Amino acid sequence: MFHYPFNPAELSETARIWWDLFGFYLTVAIILGVVVYAGLVLIPWIYSRRRQAVDEIQPGVIPGERGRMAYLAVIVILIAASFIAIFVESYLAVNKLAATLEEKYNVDIEELQAGEADGVLVVEVIGFQWGWTFRYPNGVETDILYLPAGRPVIFKVTSEDVFHAFSIPDLRVKVDAIPGQVNVTWTVPEKPGTYRVQCYELCGVGHAEMITKAIVLPPEVFDFWYESQSEKLESEGGEQ
Amino acid sequence: MASEAANGGNNVALLAAIAIGVIFFAATSVALGYFMVFGENLAGPPQDIYIIRLSEYVIEPEPDPIIVKVGQPVVFRIVNEGSAEHEVMFVADLEMMANMIKEASLRLQQENPELSVEEIMEIVDERHEMIMEEMLEKAFAGKIEGEELMIELEPGESTVVTFTFLEPGIYIIACLKQEGTFPGTHAEEGMFNQVIVVEG
Ligand SMILES: [Cu+2]
Ligand SMILES: [Cu+2]
């Protein structure tokens, strides 16, 4: 039925965490949905089969004690349990986001904040009205985001003018770009390909066109591109 | 009796309304879920035809990216929309190929300082054409079926080629011309792209 060539959860490490959480939400929603719809179908059916009307006088039984407390308790417990489950799972997922980077890819977040990251590509993302600039550690600035597959990438996101939001929806990356503030997020893209980069914060008339491409390349091709750009920058710097 | 019959009718109507509600809910959930999972950009299903536009210095496919199924013939309509000569060439090792051409040109320039840049590019082109074709044939034997693995286009020219990919993986296409970027190649400016071959 579906011809989609990839499992969307395998496009990046963050996508995997996101889809895990989504799967959990979906499970909770399905359980609650089944209960609600079963009630919707069964309760009218049961009551319609009763000879006695719902609000008929039942000698010796106070209306307030006709089992309604039990129903209420079940409903309250269901709602509370789903809220708590979703809260706990979301909290764990947010923690997993930081922990994965630290444990699986050995990125020291404190060192990273101090500005000395080894083996991690740190890309500065600058939003403006209306477009994106990507600045690489070697000083190269591009308007297309080039990324290596299978390597952790840290995005330091900021804005030149108004609020924007940097997002690569397929890779499940999204963070606000706010002037005067640097927001940090990360991902590990896993499948080479071209992905959409888009602004997700209404930022003016050009908002809808604030789209560019993220090209995820095999690592050796990315290195070729990165080194060629470095060389080019050096030779330009030398000429001046 | 009459009231009971009316009651029965009401029940049927109620159950029908509930059934419609449930079906509507299920259908919208499936549709929404479909768009959530498959509605994002990654080009969707592998296509049979791709238009590949060449200009200074980009290879832009449409739709983007190129995703092809193993064993299924795919048609590339390649158009040179730029003002320089460009090519689409399958490369196994982009860095090695680009460096080979760059170094050959620099060496030639050192040895023969009297040659102009155009002459050097022409000589390098000629010398490497045979070697490249051999290398490509060797590197992609059993992987790509096609008339030629190196398609050169003058400005404004276009062509249609058919390929069949026999192994899944990432195939890099690049332009290794030097016009305007001498001694580097167009690939160094970002004139490369990828063909993603997936299992059918
Ligand atoms: Cu914006
Ligand atoms: Cu070219």
Side-chain angles (χ1 to χ4, degrees):
Chain A
M1 186 176 172
F2 303 128
H3 297 288
Y4 198 77
F6 302 118
N7 175 351
E10 284 171 6
L11 294 178
S12 79
E13 190 69 45
T14 40
R16 186 167 299 129
I17 296 170
W18 190 95
W19 279 103
D20 282 351
L21 186 62
F22 179 79
F24 183 82
Y25 282 13
L26 191 65
T27 314
V28 170
I30 286 172
I31 292 169
L32 286 181
V34 165
V35 169
V36 168
Y37 276 88
L40 199 62
V41 173
L42 291 177
I43 290 170
W45 186 64
I46 289 167
Y47 276 85
S48 71
R49 277 173 60 102
R50 269 198 190 176
R51 303 212 141 220
Q52 211 170 29
V54 182
D55 48 0
E56 208 167 282
I57 295 166
Q58 296 174 27
V61 184
I62 301 165
E65 289 176 357
R66 288 178 190 173
R68 285 183 187 141
M69 282 309 281
Y71 288 143
L72 191 67
V74 167
I75 291 168
V76 166
I77 288 169
L78 258 178
I79 292 175
S82 63
F83 266 57
I84 290 167
I86 284 176
F87 174 79
V88 169
E89 188 69 18
S90 307
Y91 183 78
L92 292 178
V94 170
N95 276 353
K96 211 158 85 182
L97 215 55
T100 308
L101 193 58
E102 235 165 330
E103 284 156 21
K104 198 166 168 187
Y105 297 97
N106 297 317
V107 177
D108 192 323
I109 289 172
E110 277 174 21
E111 270 183 26
L112 191 76
Q113 275 160 349
E116 36 188 301
D118 292 328
V120 197
L121 179 66
V122 181
V123 183
E124 285 171 57
V125 179
I126 301 130
F128 58 90
Q129 280 174 319
W130 286 277
W132 298 101
T133 301
F134 305 105
R135 191 183 296 139
Y136 287 82
N138 62 1
V140 168
E141 286 184 4
T142 58
D143 53 1
I144 290 177
L145 180 59
Y146 289 88
L147 297 174
R151 282 190 206 157
V153 185
I154 313 281
F155 299 105
K156 291 189 167 178
V157 183
T158 189
S159 165
E160 275 181 5
D161 34 47
V162 300
F163 282 21
H164 299 280
F166 167 71
S167 175
I168 313 170
D170 271 343
L171 304 184
R172 297 291 183 262
V173 170
K174 188 190 271 175
V175 71
D176 283 340
I178 291 165
Q181 185 177 324
V182 178
N183 288 339
V184 179
T185 188
W186 66 279
T187 192
V188 184
E190 273 161 30
K191 297 262 189 258
T194 307
Y195 303 89
R196 178 162 45 90
V197 175
Q198 193 169 358
C199 177
Y200 272 79
E201 178 74 59
L202 185 59
C203 59
V205 281
H207 168 65
E209 282 110 51
M210 200 166 157
I211 296 173
T212 183
K213 286 191 271 187
I215 303 180
V216 176
L217 296 163
E220 67 277 7
V221 181
F222 175 81
D223 286 341
F224 167 76
W225 173 81
Y226 192 73
E227 274 151 31
S228 323
Q229 295 293 313
S230 301
E231 273 172 36
K232 199 180 125 200
L233 209 70
E234 269 169 38
S235 66
E236 273 171 11
E239 277 164 27
Q240 276 163 9
Chain B
M1 286 305 262
S3 82
E4 248 177 48
N7 237 336
N10 275 346
N11 282 344
V12 172
L14 184 68
L15 286 178
I18 291 167
I20 290 168
V22 171
I23 291 167
F24 179 77
F25 177 78
T28 45
S29 306
V30 168
L32 239 130
Y34 180 87
F35 284 117
M36 281 210 66
V37 179
F38 301 101
E40 296 286 5
N41 57 356
L42 212 107
Q47 308 282 315
D48 299 334
I49 300 172
Y50 284 92
I51 299 168
I52 300 174
R53 297 175 209 282
L54 312 179
S55 57
E56 275 75 66
Y57 300 105
V58 282
I59 298 181
E60 273 183 319
E62 191 196 319
D64 193 5
I66 306 173
I67 301 181
V68 188
K69 267 190 217 171
V70 164
Q72 184 160 329
V74 61
V75 175
F76 290 161
R77 181 168 194 274
I78 307 171
V79 188
N80 184 353
E81 292 183 345
S83 53
E85 195 190 351
H86 292 296
E87 66 182 347
V88 167
M89 179 177 167
F90 283 90
V91 289
D93 188 337
L94 182 57
E95 192 173 359
M96 192 264 283
M97 289 288 223
N99 283 345
M100 188 170 88
I101 291 189
K102 192 175 172 179
E103 277 157 22
S105 341
L106 285 176
R107 213 181 310 125
L108 197 66
Q109 197 174 31
Q110 254 176 9
E111 285 164 8
N112 309 289
E114 74 282 359
L115 288 178
S116 73
V117 168
E118 281 76 31
E119 284 169 325
I120 293 173
M121 289 196 301
E122 218 168 277
I123 296 168
V124 170
D125 222 38
E126 264 171 35
R127 277 191 196 166
H128 285 81
E129 186 133 359
M130 291 288 287
I131 309 171
M132 290 268 196
E133 267 170 17
E134 251 171 55
M135 278 170 73
L136 291 184
E137 265 166 36
K138 211 183 278 174
F140 293 107
K143 286 186 180 172
I144 307 177
E145 256 172 32
E147 290 139 49
E148 42 177 356
L149 297 170
M150 189 171 151
I151 299 119
E152 292 174 314
L153 293 173
E154 296 293 331
E157 209 183 345
S158 74
T159 184
V160 175
V161 278
T162 308
F163 292 108
T164 310
F165 296 88
L166 304 172
E167 261 179 44
I170 309 292
Y171 294 80
I172 301 294
I173 48 176
C175 173
L176 295 178
K177 295 281 170 208
Q178 295 167 292
E179 196 181 328
T181 55
F182 187 87
T185 55
H186 292 177
E188 275 155 70
E189 299 288 320
M191 195 160 179
F192 55 82
N193 218 311
Q194 45 197 351
V195 178
I196 301 159
V197 182
V198 294
E199 311 249 15

